[in-house]
Structure formats: C-alpha cells, structure tokens
Amino acid sequence: MYPENAPHPPAQRAVEVHHPTPYPPATVTPAPPVPVQPNAVPAVASIVLPDGRVVTGYAINPAHPESVAAKPAVSRAAVNVALGGVGFLAVCGGLILLTSFIAALTAFITQLIILAAVIFGGWIAVQIFGAHGHQGGGITVNIRKAVIKRNHFRG
C-alpha cells in the first residue's frame, strides 16, 4: 500500500524520547583583583565549563540603585515649570503697570497742551480786545482810500 521509500505511518514508527542532561553548576575562577585606574581596561574573569572549556570575559560591576534619600522631594522639571510661571506672571504684571503708566503719562501731556493753549489763547484775547479800553502807549493807524499803481503806494 505504501511505496518502499515513503515514510511509515505513525503507528509503525518507533518512538524515541530525548531527555536533556543537566550540567553541574560551572565553577568560576575569578581573575585576581587588579586595581583599575579610571579609563583603564577592566579586570578579566574566566569560567571553566564542565567539559573543560574556558570562557574568558570582562567582569561586569553590578549597578547600584540610586538611594532614595538622595532624590529631591520635588523634581527639577516641576521646579523649572513653577519658576517659569512665576516669571511669566511678573512680566504680565509689569506690562499691565507699564501700559497704565503710559496711558496716565499721555493723559497728563494732553492736559498740559490744553492748559498751554488756554493760557496762550487768553493772552492773545487780552491783547486783541483789551487794547481799545486804555489810553496811552497804543498806536493809531488811519487807513484811507489808497491807490496802488505800478507797485507804488499813493495815499
């Protein structure tokens, strides 16, 4: 029913089970501690595997978590945002005061100009209308019929 080179059906195959063989824990023979200068090559550690192979590599220092007491109570970003807000409020308040000051100064200068116009206008009015009322140093000019011929005045 099956050709000769075709695989056997599952019922006729022999079942083989493979179990992994556990290795005993590796023995670590660390390299002797060598004082390491900053920016120097770190120490090298070697591990001997059970089958006799030796694996050599750089030792990795474990990372030390940052202590909780060293962290500030408030983050720097929060402090920067708060200081920026305070500065913005100070600038806005200063701008409001500056615009109020400019408006007051404009009103003051306008009132000074009006006062100067009233005083000068009053002085002019006194000069015009007050000259007829008193005798003395005034000059009287009589204007008669004049004939003007060829830019000559004949009066």
Side-chain angles (χ1 to χ4, degrees):
M1 165 169 173
Y2 291 105
E4 293 180 14
N5 58 0
H8 298 290
Q12 296 177 355
R13 277 194 220 159
V15 177
E16 294 181 25
V17 178
H18 297 281
H19 295 289
T21 307
Y23 285 114
T27 55
V28 178
T29 56
V34 177
V36 178
Q37 298 294 329
N39 298 329
V41 179
V44 177
S46 298
I47 299 174
V48 179
L49 297 177
D51 59 355
R53 292 181 296 164
V54 177
V55 178
T56 305
Y58 292 110
I60 299 175
N61 296 330
H64 298 290
E66 192 174 328
S67 64
V68 178
K71 288 186 180 178
V74 180
S75 70
R76 287 186 183 267
V79 171
N80 290 339
V81 168
L83 288 177
V86 169
F88 181 75
L89 288 177
V91 168
C92 288
L95 288 176
I96 289 172
L97 289 176
L98 181 65
T99 54
S100 299
F101 175 75
I102 290 172
L105 186 64
T106 304
F108 178 70
I109 291 173
T110 304
Q111 289 176 355
L112 284 180
I113 292 171
I114 292 172
L115 180 64
V118 168
I119 291 174
F120 184 69
W123 181 77
I124 295 291
V126 167
Q127 294 300 317
I128 292 174
F129 297 118
H132 297 296
H134 64 83
Q135 298 281 352
I139 298 173
T140 303
V141 178
N142 294 323
I143 300 176
R144 295 181 285 164
K145 256 187 172 177
V147 179
I148 300 173
K149 282 187 175 180
R150 295 187 191 143
N151 295 332
H152 291 291
F153 179 75
R154 296 169 198 251

